[in-house]
Amino acid sequence: MYQLSKHSLGRLTGVHPDLVRVVKRAIEKTDVDFGITEGVRSLERQKACLAAGKSWTLHSRHLTGHAIDVDAFVNGEVRWEWPLFERIAAAMKKAASELGVLVVWGGDWETLRDGCHFELDRRAYPSENSSGKDLASASRV
């Protein structure tokens, strides 16, 4: 059984508690070790991700703590092969189902598939600011 590192746990700071619960349960269920590469992003970080081609929007669910990115580890080394993310996604989906949390995997998107991205389903978890406007309505990462 795997466990999240202190670094990964730190990356979950500010992330919605339901998504944190899913991640912590998924690490117990997975057959592929994984870590959290990003949780909450500042607007400045989001702009940098957009400029670098790592994101497609300034309205990311990361800005509101409704999304995380993961990486996969094999023998202690970061790996990016798609089948590894499919196995992590299976563990995340099982954990979410057990906990009654609706999670969306970026690998299931029809366009701009993002295997390392998981977010709370915006239908159940809107990310509203104080004006009531959905901050992530155009979000894809």
Side-chain angles (χ1 to χ4, degrees), residues 68-137:
I68 58 145
D69 290 336
V70 303
D71 53 13
F73 298 111
V74 175
N75 297 323
E77 293 185 21
V78 175
R79 302 287 291 272
W80 296 100
E81 290 88 0
W82 191 261
L84 297 173
F85 290 104
E86 289 174 329
R87 290 164 52 196
I88 294 168
M92 291 284 280
K93 289 175 181 181
K94 285 179 188 175
S97 177
E98 282 181 11
L99 297 169
V101 176
L102 298 177
V103 172
V104 174
W105 176 42
D108 287 332
W109 293 336
E110 291 183 22
T111 59
L112 303 174
R113 294 176 71 203
D114 188 355
C116 68
H117 182 88
F118 296 88
E119 63 181 55
L120 293 172
D121 189 318
R122 69 179 40 87
R123 293 171 295 175
Y125 296 89
S127 50
E128 296 179 349
N129 66 12
S130 59
S131 70
K133 181 179 178 188
D134 184 355
L135 294 172
S137 61

Side-chain angles (χ1 to χ4, degrees), residues 41 45-57 112 114 141:
R41 289 182 188 155
R45 171 72 179 138
Q46 187 62 32
K47 287 178 181 178
C49 288
L50 184 65
K54 295 179 180 179
S55 181
W56 302 279
T57 182
L112 303 174
D114 188 355
V141 291

